[in-house]
Amino acid sequence: MNENEFRASQAGGVPPTYSHPHYQQPVAAAPVLTPPRPKKKRVAALVTAGTLAAAVIGGASGAAVVALDSGTSTGTATSATTVSSTTNTDVSAVAAKVLSSVVQVNVTTRQGEAIGSGVILTADGKILTNAHVVSDAVGDVTITLSDGTEYQASVLGADTKADIAVLQAKGASGLTAATLGDSGKVQVGEQVVAIGSPGGLQNTVTSGIVSAVDRDLSDISSGEPDTPFGQTANTASDSPSYTAIQTDASINQGNSGGPLVNMNGEVIGINSALYSPSATSTGSVGIGFAIPIDDAKTIIAQIENS
């Protein structure tokens, strides 16, 4: 207090008060990294408190949690680079180009119905999605095009460690295949668009920027018997095999398997995870992760050649 305030207090005035402008209340729950699993219609999300954790954003099996080892680093992202001033920022044009190549994936499980997203790879109905979206499917899955047309689909193959699966729509023809880009050319700071079915709301478009590339997720480990990545990740070798593109575009449950695209409408990543600040918060806080499309291309080729 200043000298006048001190004298006033000594003279019987109101006692002075003190504030701590930089003090922050402690956080009640430890942060969790929650991948956007498919929206559950009848099954509640299962996210546990504890150490920093990660869970898939679109798995039919629910929101299993994989804990990040508190004694290890989550990796260092590649430094930012300058984005060309000629970058197209017309999100509506991107949406118009890409929406017809994005599908909703409905999965029936023993626990109920789960919803994820997918990307059309070929005109005859090959669909790219996350492995955790279809890992607990009972029988065929249903894909719904942006115009509402439905097809039954089977799982051609999946790599649970890479969290990539390829589906085949039965009897499909004339579908609009997405254009796959080059994730090796992605720059920090460039504008991106995410498309999918968060909460079952098909054809939802959100936009943001690339926050980081080469974000290392290999330190994820857990004692959970069934992690979102289909592994009991007790060692580094059981952790996800990819480094992720980080984005602040809004990604939520049901976005799993949907595309992250650049402003040319090219798919540069497959949305797979989101970070939540607490165990009870599962919505987007502007920290989402996508599997680089170059990694996905490798898995697609392996599945098709198997």
Side-chain angles (χ1 to χ4, degrees):
M1 70 182 72
N2 59 36
E3 182 178 355
N4 291 335
E5 290 172 334
F6 176 81
R7 290 176 178 175
S9 67
Q10 296 299 306
V14 178
T17 58
Y18 299 86
S19 63
H20 302 275
H22 301 295
Y23 177 78
Q24 296 181 348
Q25 294 292 333
V27 177
V32 294
L33 180 67
T34 309
R37 52 177 195 292
K39 173 67 177 178
K40 297 276 190 174
K41 288 189 176 179
R42 296 190 293 276
V43 181
L46 305 176
V47 180
T48 61
T51 59
L52 187 64
V56 290
I57 59 176
S61 61
V65 173
V66 284
L68 286 173
D69 183 46
S70 58
T72 57
S73 169
T74 57
T76 302
T78 300
S79 59
T81 54
T82 302
V83 178
S84 170
S85 60
T86 61
T87 299
N88 177 19
T89 58
D90 188 349
V91 174
S92 62
V94 174
K97 179 178 180 179
V98 180
L99 274 169
S100 59
S101 300
V102 182
V103 303
Q104 180 170 299
V105 180
N106 289 72
V107 182
T108 299
T109 74
R110 291 182 177 85
Q111 294 77 32
E113 185 179 357
I115 297 174
S117 303
V119 178
I120 298 173
L121 294 175
T122 62
D124 64 355
K126 283 188 175 62
I127 308 294
L128 175 62
T129 188
N130 285 143
H132 70 257
V133 170
V134 296
S135 60
D136 283 352
V138 178
D140 288 343
V141 300
T142 301
I143 65 163
T144 306
L145 306 186
S146 60
D147 64 4
T149 303
E150 293 186 356
Y151 291 95
Q152 294 301 299
S154 58
V155 179
L156 285 182
D159 185 324
T160 55
K161 191 174 178 64
D163 200 16
I164 289 295
V166 177
L167 314 179
Q168 176 63 62
K170 298 179 179 180
S173 63
L175 305 190
T176 304
T179 301
L180 305 186
D182 183 350
S183 54
K185 295 181 179 179
V186 173
Q187 296 182 320
V188 174
E190 73 173 274
Q191 190 170 4
V192 288
V193 174
I195 301 176
S197 297
L201 300 173
Q202 190 172 7
N203 301 328
T204 294
V205 177
T206 59
S207 66
I209 63 167
V210 172
S211 304
V213 297
D214 297 329
R215 182 66 78 187
D216 190 0
L217 302 182
S218 65
D219 291 327
I220 296 176
S221 62
S222 175
E224 293 288 328
D226 182 19
T227 76
F229 302 98
Q231 302 285 336
T232 302
N234 292 317
T235 65
S237 63
D238 289 330
S239 299
S241 61
Y242 62 89
T243 55
I245 298 170
Q246 182 180 329
T247 180
D248 67 351
S250 182
I251 295 173
N252 290 286
Q253 295 176 14
N255 272 117
S256 279
L260 186 70
V261 302
N262 61 22
M263 300 312 291
N264 293 321
E266 300 167 334
V267 179
I268 58 169
I270 300 300
N271 299 319
S272 61
L274 64 88
Y275 175 91
S276 294
S278 72
T280 57
S281 174
T282 58
S284 173
V285 293
I287 306 176
F289 302 97
I291 301 166
I293 196 61
D294 289 356
D295 292 354
K297 290 176 184 176
T298 300
I299 304 303
I300 294 167
Q302 292 173 355
I303 290 174
E304 291 180 338
N305 295 327
S306 62

